[in-house]
Amino acid sequence: PEWPERCREESMALGDEPTLEELEGLTSLELVMKESLRLRAPVPTVARHAVKDTVVQGVRIPAGSPVAVGVQFTHLMPELWPDPLRFDPERFSPERREDKVHRYAWSPFGGGVHKCIGLHFAGAEVKAIMHRLLRTHRWHVDPSYVAPLDNHSLPFPKDGQPIDLVRL
């Protein structure tokens, strides 16, 4: 519950129409966004083809074989993330940087040379929308709510995720 208020305080300190540079300075919102993307990757699995014969953890994968990268699984591995199911935005803080424990520990936008070119645009877009919402609304989701996810294509709550949204 402290995170919405932390984020709101930062947004209230900015003007109504912040610059991109000001949006990038919304530190708490950045931490919350990264942790949210870790807990629920927007693209949970990425399909690829092996470009050459390789071995992964002792398993031979011939060139041309279809492979799947389980981004969501990686984001919840206890070997990479202490208490992986807990919402803890501070894990991305400069003091902890748990996302740097492995090159691909946090990869909601892919990794390496194939990382999504829209990564920074998406971050700016989310921050701009959240900045506006934080300045104009409060919201509440029942703490016992668990989203009944439809994973047919991308994760989406089947019930639309009920939320109480109140204009300030």
Side-chain angles (χ1 to χ4, degrees), residues 124-136:
E125 193 173 34
V126 167
K127 285 181 182 179
I129 292 166
M130 290 306 300
H131 170 72
R132 180 62 55 117
L133 280 172
L134 286 162
R135 291 176 58 86
T136 59

Side-chain angles (χ1 to χ4, degrees), residues 11-46:
S11 283
M12 293 307 251
L14 294 182
D16 203 30
E17 296 181 19
T19 65
L20 182 57
E21 186 177 343
E22 288 173 321
L23 285 174
E24 288 173 0
L26 294 172
T27 309
S28 295
L29 192 51
E30 174 87 11
L31 298 176
V32 167
M33 182 177 67
K34 286 183 173 180
E35 178 67 343
S36 297
L37 287 167
R38 183 189 71 81
L39 285 169
R40 183 64 60 207
V43 180
T45 305
V46 179

Side-chain angles (χ1 to χ4, degrees), residues 1-10 32 87 134 138-139:
E2 71 275 5
W3 284 98
E5 288 312 311
R6 265 178 78 166
C7 293
R8 183 170 284 108
E9 283 178 26
E10 287 181 2
V32 167
F87 179 75
L134 286 162
R138 288 195 187 277
W139 55 88

